[in-house]
Amino acid sequence: GESVGLHLPTLSVQEGDNSIINCAYSNSASDYFIWYKQESGKGPQFIIDIRSNMDKRQGQRVTVLLNKTVKHLSLQIAATQPGDSAVYFCAVGNDYKLSFGAGTTVTVRA
Amino acid sequence: GAVVSQHPSRVICKSGTSVKIECRSLDFQATTMFWYRQFPKQSLMLMATSNEGSKATYEQGVEKDKFLINHASLTLSTLTVTSAHPEDSSFYICSARAKDTQYFGPGTRLTVL
């Protein structure tokens, strides 16, 4: 099976600074990795994904980095905004099944 | 694109009754949908994988006779919580596969009194 862990359960960041959220996984056979954002009382919202044949992928203000050697995944948010305050989950697995980490609560300070 | 809806968004029911939750893919067809539950301040736990036209695949520890899943069409999957009890109170979230990823619905808050 897959075990997914996060390095920090909470992250407080100053508005305008960059945020980095980390995730570790256990199964080297996992080939699909997704970051989701979840606001209170809502379902997870897709942010960005990456497959195991890549080590970096960029979106709008977000970058996902994948280090398969140490089985580590990170999400970088540039110029963090108040609207970025939420719980962020990494999901690890394949096309057929995902395992979710515990979530990191990001709080943006004005 | 890739919008998933759920109905109802909230439901309160009495212990012993059954509750049906619908999950729809609005702008795409989904041969595979997933059902998760989430307790407060916890992560998502996969309950079952719902495949159109076939039986659902349940995760270990999930009672298939209690959580009935039907995936009758390419845009609709339903989860029925039978004989609900207070410990079934939770946030139930579905997702659907589209373009090689999973997109989630807004969730259904179930409260069993």
Side-chain angles (χ1 to χ4, degrees):
Chain A
E2 176 65 81
S3 173
V4 183
L6 276 164
H7 292 214
L8 287 175
T10 62
L11 176 67
S12 179
V13 60
Q14 187 70 36
E15 182 179 355
D17 288 351
N18 296 334
S19 304
I20 299 177
I21 307 166
N22 297 299
C23 192
Y25 62 98
S26 63
N27 190 348
S28 57
S30 294
D31 62 4
Y32 188 40
F33 308 85
I34 314 174
W35 282 100
Y36 289 96
K37 171 186 179 183
Q38 187 178 29
E39 297 174 343
S40 181
K42 298 183 179 180
Q45 176 186 354
F46 174 89
I47 301 173
I48 191 168
D49 61 356
I50 189 169
R51 294 206 175 263
S52 58
N53 61 350
M54 301 175 69
D55 53 22
K56 180 179 180 179
R57 192 164 185 223
Q58 289 184 289
Q60 189 175 13
R61 284 201 304 120
V62 294
T63 300
V64 56
L65 298 177
L66 175 63
N67 186 328
K68 295 180 290 294
T69 302
V70 296
K71 296 196 279 291
H72 182 271
L73 182 71
S74 69
L75 176 70
Q76 300 178 5
I77 304 173
T80 311
Q81 301 170 359
D84 294 327
S85 292
V87 179
Y88 289 80
F89 291 98
C90 66
V92 177
N94 52 44
D95 288 340
Y96 302 98
K97 186 173 179 179
L98 295 175
S99 296
F100 282 76
T104 292
T105 300
V106 173
T107 303
V108 181
R109 305 189 306 271
Chain B
V3 178
V4 178
S5 71
Q6 278 184 246
H7 179 79
S9 57
R10 288 180 178 273
V11 57
I12 300 173
C13 69
K14 293 182 179 179
S15 186
T17 60
S18 295
V19 174
K20 179 185 284 189
I21 303 170
E22 293 185 349
C23 177
R24 293 182 185 274
S25 55
L26 298 185
D27 52 359
F28 65 100
Q29 293 183 329
T31 55
T32 305
M33 292 184 173
F34 304 87
W35 286 97
Y36 295 82
R37 67 186 297 181
Q38 185 179 35
F39 291 107
K41 300 190 184 302
Q42 293 189 23
S43 188
L44 284 75
M45 297 297 295
L46 179 65
M47 299 175 65
T49 301
S50 170
N51 298 297
E52 188 267 337
S54 64
K55 291 183 179 180
T57 303
Y58 289 82
E59 294 300 301
Q60 190 173 8
V62 178
E63 298 176 58
K64 62 180 181 181
D65 294 330
K66 181 170 183 61
F67 298 100
L68 300 178
I69 292 172
N70 184 277
H71 194 155
S73 78
L74 288 172
T75 59
L76 173 64
S77 175
T78 60
L79 169 68
T80 301
V81 183
T82 62
S83 187
H85 292 284
E87 57 266 31
D88 298 324
S89 297
S90 188
F91 193 49
Y92 292 87
I93 314 172
C94 72
S95 70
R97 285 190 63 207
K99 305 169 189 173
D100 296 328
T101 194
Q102 286 189 36
Y103 293 89
F104 283 82
T108 297
R109 174 74 59 190
L110 170 63
T111 303
V112 184
L113 302 177

